Each structure stands twice: as structure tokens, then as C-alpha cells.
Amino acid sequence: MKPAGKSWLKLVPSTPPRFDWTAFSPILPEISSANGHSSTNIWTYGLERKALETGQLPWTVDGVSHHFLDRVHRFDWLPGWIAGDRGDQAEALALVDAWIASHGKFDGFSWRSGPSADRIWHWMACGTALFRTDGDEIVHDRQDCLLRQVDHLEGLIDRGQTPRAVLRGRCILAVMAALQDDAGALEAALSHLDAAYGAQILPDGGHCSRAPEDLLWAAADLLAVRSTLEARDKTIPSWVGKWLSRMGAMLTFFQARDGALFPFNGSSESRADMVNRVVEAIDPAIRKFSFSPKSGYQKLERGQLRLLLDVGAAPEGIFADRSHAGALAFEVCDGPDRLVTSCGYCDAVNVDWQAAVRRTSAHSTLVLGGRDSAQFEKNAETALLSASGPVGISAKRLEEADEIWLDAQHSGYKVGFGLLHRRRLFMSGDGGRLTGEDALTRPVSEPEAEDPHPVTFDIRFHLHPGVKAEAESDSIRLETESGNRWRFKTSHPGATLEPSIYLGRGTVERTQQILLSGRADPNGDGSAPPNCVRWAFVRDDRV
């Protein structure tokens, strides 16, 4: 639906209208040193690193992936350049003008909804520089191109596009209407925006994708709409505060003690400064809780130790296109230091890495028979691999005398193996000990397995790159970046340290994982080895 029944293209008369771009100030992260552009004209995304020749444009580089080009066309690097020295700003404006010359009318690849929404957002964030610093003709061309893209994006919003592009697109339309002082367009845009957030934000404040980073972007974008309405003296609808309050509470739930996010379900750590800015802008006195029933996470926290456990099934529809098969996986931090994690995720790395880290083996949980706990099937609507399941996932919690017990299970391996995975966790009152038990149980309602041969299993604990690990005779010694020392102990024979990778900080980093392998009895009741594996992380001064 076009605001007030008009095309955005009609908003560009011969003399460019004067939008008050100072009223739009979104919260954006600084570009990570691992990604984007450097002073030596080297462009890096994930493991792709390209040096440009003098005068060469980044979207004309040969030998790069479509993923690399996709990131370039989003212009997430633009705000950093505009905020830099005058040389960077001049080069940034020249690149915008070059992009308009080559792609400004239309391009099937760069004008897809995701890149378009991000590019428009970043151009608008740099509006005071893009649309006021040069002559009228250049300003007119830039603004004409911007509004063409807004018009195009509006036509894509209701066509099953990516969830993040839908929310950002609706935010763009609301901001543009506010900047124009078009009351009819603003009323319609805000109504659509409320519906979009209602479709993607869960009652507990989480995002339908179950990804903390998607929630971060949704909250940051809505904050930008709110601040624009305030700056333009527009009435802020009550639903804006309702959604922001819920999202802010969930963001604090997902924060590790270093301020950044735990990388669940297609999320990176994100930058702690951005997460903190978003949370503080919403409400500095946000409520705290230990269980998010709709999002499907449990939190255990005592002393300096904080743990989040994934006890939710994959979401439905397009929200599952980036979801991970990480049932009963957990992330642990000790104060500001991350200890146990997953292989993480990052948009900057290519699609092969993104697919690999969705597998169950990329998470700190149990894998049975080499299979994933969720099923991956092609989504006919989006042509992407969509996760589903596992069924029967649940958790029970008990707190007593400052100690926490958690008993969780899922039925993702019942079909094929007839076994349930049950994970029990105990955290001591001082946060100095985390004890766990992973059991594979055949329900009493199931007949005996037709094939009595043992089934292989692996239990993995992926360590954060900041952790140093060394195997000793009866334990594995761990040391965090701050020098905190832990030991991993288990009654299971053959615990080993193996290589692993981590994507949560914007590139592919080498790290290690603790691996416990065994062979389970398909008819076992989970009460004793080999179907029951006990382990513990203990502070070194308590061993």
C-alpha cells in the first residue's frame, strides 16, 4: 500500500525537497575491524579479502562470491566513512554517486529486498552529508535514487520477503512519512508497522526466529522511528512503548556478562556497545527473569556464572530459514569471559559456513548417530533450507537454597533410534560448579529395538576462542582471557580436545572443543553408562 495512494517517485520535483535528516539518528554498530573497508583500500567480508586498484569500485571486483557483493551493496560501511575524516567522507560520497550511475535505475541483484532495505537505511542515516553537501543537481540525483528505492521496497514488503527486510522496510516508510509531515501517510505507515511487529515479536518479547540478533535489530530500528517522531513533534503511539519494553527485557536476558549477545539461532555476539545503547535507550530499569516460555530458553545464573540453555523447537515458516538444530545446547560465561559456546554465526561469512554451523554438531549438545536433532528441508517459498523440530522438547526447573536444577529433554532422535535425549544441569549457589548429565533413554512405551547394535553418540562442548585448554591425566584444564581457571571432569572414558571453529565475532576463528564419544544401547533406560554420561565444570580452586 502506497502512503496516501501516491508513489514516492512523485516526491522529487525539479527542486529537491528539504527533508530534516537531523531528525533521523538510528543506532548503528561500528564496522568490525574484521569486515568492511580499511585505509589501504582492502575490502574484507568473512574469509574473502580483496585489494582494490586505484579507482576500482568494490562491486566490480572479479573473483568474489555473490555473498561478498551482497554485503557491499548494503552500504553498512557508509556511516563509518561519513563519520571519518574529510578524505573518507569525500570518497564515500563519490562511491554513492558511482553506484547511482551504475545501479541507480534498477538491478535485479542489488535491488532485492534485503540489500535495498539496508542500503536505504544507511543512506538515510547519512542524510545530512548525502543530501546537503553538494550542488542542487547532485543532491537531486541522490534523492531521486533514494526515493526510487523506497518506492521499489514498498512494493516488495508484502511478498514474503525476509523478516528483517519487512520490519526495516516498514520502519523506513514510517520515518519518511514523518520527515515529510504527511499526516495521512504517517498514520498508514504506523498502522502497518504495528502489524509487522505484532507478526514478528513474541509475547515474551523475543523474535519469532528465536535469534537474539534479529531482536536487537528490530529494537534498534523501532527506536529510530520513535526518536524521529519525537524530533518532528509527532504523537508516539502507545504500542511503540509496549513493543520496546518487551524487546528490551529479552535483550538483557540474552546478554552475556561482557554486554554482547549469546549467539543462538543465527546470531553473532554483536557489539556490546550497540546492545547496551539499545537497552539503555529503551528503559534502564528493565525487568529480569530466568525463563522465556515463548522464545524457548532457560537461564541459570549464580555468582559470576551465567548459562543459557536452548529448550525451544525451530520456528515455523520463513522464520526457520536461519534456525539452528541446537536443542538442549547451552552457552556459558564466567563474568566477562565466555567459556562454552557454539560455533556461532555471522552474516559476513559465506553461505557454506553459515550452513555448516546450523548443524547439531556445531553446538554444545549431544549428537546421536551423526544426525541432527532438527530436520532440514527445502522451503518451497524461499528455496532455503528450513529447520523443523525437534518434537517433545521440554524443561523443568527447581531452585532451592540458592542452587538450581534443570531437567530438559527432546524427542528428536525417537524416530530412527527410539531414544530420548535428556540433559540435567545443576549449578551451585556460588557459581563455582556446573554439573551435567546427558542420558539416552528408551521410553517404556516403545517396544525393544529391532536392531540391537549400539548407536554412536558424541557430546560436544565448544570452547570460546578466548579459552586456553590443556588435557591432563584426569581432567581438562581451562583458562579464560581474564585468567580464571576451570577444570572439566567426567566419569566417561576418553574425553579429548579437538579442533573447532567460531564465527560469532565476524570471521572464522580457530578454537577447540571437548569431545565425549561413545556407543549407546538402543534399549537402555539412561540410568547408567554407556547411556548416561556425567560431567562437570569446576573452578580450579575447588578441585
Side-chain angles (χ1 to χ4, degrees), residues 207-229:
H207 190 271
C208 279
S209 66
R210 304 186 63 241
E213 190 170 22
D214 286 349
L215 180 65
L216 174 65
W217 286 113
D221 288 0
L222 189 55
L223 280 170
V225 174
R226 188 183 72 175
S227 65
T228 302
L229 294 175

Side-chain angles (χ1 to χ4, degrees), residues 373-443:
S373 60
Q375 302 298 314
F376 289 103
E377 296 180 352
K378 188 175 182 180
N379 185 329
E381 183 179 355
T382 63
L384 299 173
L385 281 181
S386 185
S388 63
V391 297
I393 189 166
S394 63
K396 296 180 181 179
R397 182 187 188 99
L398 175 64
E399 298 188 35
E400 184 176 320
D402 289 333
E403 297 176 333
I404 309 175
W405 287 265
L406 197 60
D407 190 342
Q409 69 177 31
H410 73 78
S411 304
Y413 299 123
K414 187 175 179 181
V415 176
F417 300 110
L419 294 171
L420 308 180
H421 174 208
R422 185 177 186 183
R423 169 164 274 184
R424 296 173 176 172
L425 299 175
F426 163 79
M427 184 178 288
S428 64
D430 62 356
R433 184 180 185 91
L434 173 66
T435 303
E437 176 184 288
D438 285 293
L440 291 165
T441 304
R442 191 171 194 86

Side-chain angles (χ1 to χ4, degrees), residues 262-265 297 307-311 324-333 338-344 356-368 372-373 408 410 413 421-425 434 436-438 458-465 467 478 488 498-502 511-516 535 537:
F262 284 120
F264 285 101
N265 281 297
Y297 293 94
L307 178 149
L308 249 65
L309 178 72
D310 187 339
V311 291
H324 289 205
L328 305 192
F330 61 76
E331 306 262 342
V332 179
C333 66
R338 294 173 186 246
L339 188 63
V340 178
T341 184
S342 62
C343 289
V357 297
R358 297 179 69 188
R359 307 294 299 273
T360 304
S361 57
H363 300 78
S364 293
T365 188
L366 179 145
V367 180
L368 183 61
D372 295 306
S373 60
H410 73 78
Y413 299 123
H421 174 208
R422 185 177 186 183
R423 169 164 274 184
R424 296 173 176 172
L425 299 175
L434 173 66
E437 176 184 288
D438 285 293
D458 296 305
I459 304 171
R460 302 172 187 272
F461 303 95
H462 295 272
L463 303 176
H464 193 268
V467 176
L478 309 172
F488 176 83
E498 304 290 341
S500 183
I501 56 96
Y502 186 68
T511 184
Q512 293 177 289
Q513 60 178 304
I514 299 171
L515 177 63
L516 308 178
W535 47 264
F537 289 88

Side-chain angles (χ1 to χ4, degrees), residues 67 71 164 213 217 266 268 322 345-350 354:
H67 177 77
R71 305 312 303 177
R164 186 180 294 182
E213 190 170 22
W217 286 113
S268 66
R322 291 173 55 207
Y345 181 89
C346 181
D347 286 333
V349 301
N350 66 36
Q354 291 180 15

Side-chain angles (χ1 to χ4, degrees), residues 200-211 215 246-247 250 254 294-295:
Q200 294 197 30
I201 303 303
L202 298 167
D204 63 8
H207 190 271
C208 279
S209 66
R210 304 186 63 241
L215 180 65
R246 293 180 183 180
M247 290 188 287
M250 276 302 300
F254 284 128
K294 298 299 183 181
S295 295

Side-chain angles (χ1 to χ4, degrees), residues 257 304-305 332-339 480 484 486 539:
R257 287 188 176 274
Q304 292 297 303
L305 200 63
V332 179
C333 66
D334 176 22
D337 298 328
R338 294 173 186 246
L339 188 63
T480 69
N484 295 330
W486 289 78
R539 286 196 187 277

Side-chain angles (χ1 to χ4, degrees), residues 38 78 89 106 108 142 145 205 254 288 291 318 448 501 509 512 528:
S38 73
L78 182 64
Q89 186 172 119
F106 180 75
R142 292 173 185 165
C145 184
F254 284 128
K288 296 183 178 181
F291 174 44
I318 59 175
E448 286 195 3
I501 56 96
E509 299 180 78
Q512 293 177 289

Side-chain angles (χ1 to χ4, degrees), residues 112-186:
R112 292 172 297 123
S113 62
S116 292
D118 286 352
R119 182 171 56 251
I120 293 168
W121 195 255
H122 294 126
W123 283 23
M124 290 168 60
C126 301
T128 54
L130 282 176
F131 306 115
R132 288 188 177 181
T133 57
D134 295 297
D136 287 343
E137 183 176 353
I138 295 178
V139 171
H140 181 276
D141 290 344
R142 292 173 185 165
Q143 196 155 278
D144 174 71
C145 184
L146 174 72
L147 296 180
R148 285 180 183 276
Q149 294 175 77
V150 173
D151 186 69
H152 173 74
L153 180 63
E154 186 178 10
L156 294 177
I157 287 180
D158 295 323
R159 300 182 186 177
Q161 302 299 317
T162 60
R164 186 180 294 182
V166 170
L167 287 187
R168 177 157 282 183
R170 289 297 178 194
C171 288
I172 287 170
L173 296 179
V175 169
M176 291 296 289
L179 294 180
Q180 292 177 75
D181 283 328
D182 188 328
L186 180 58

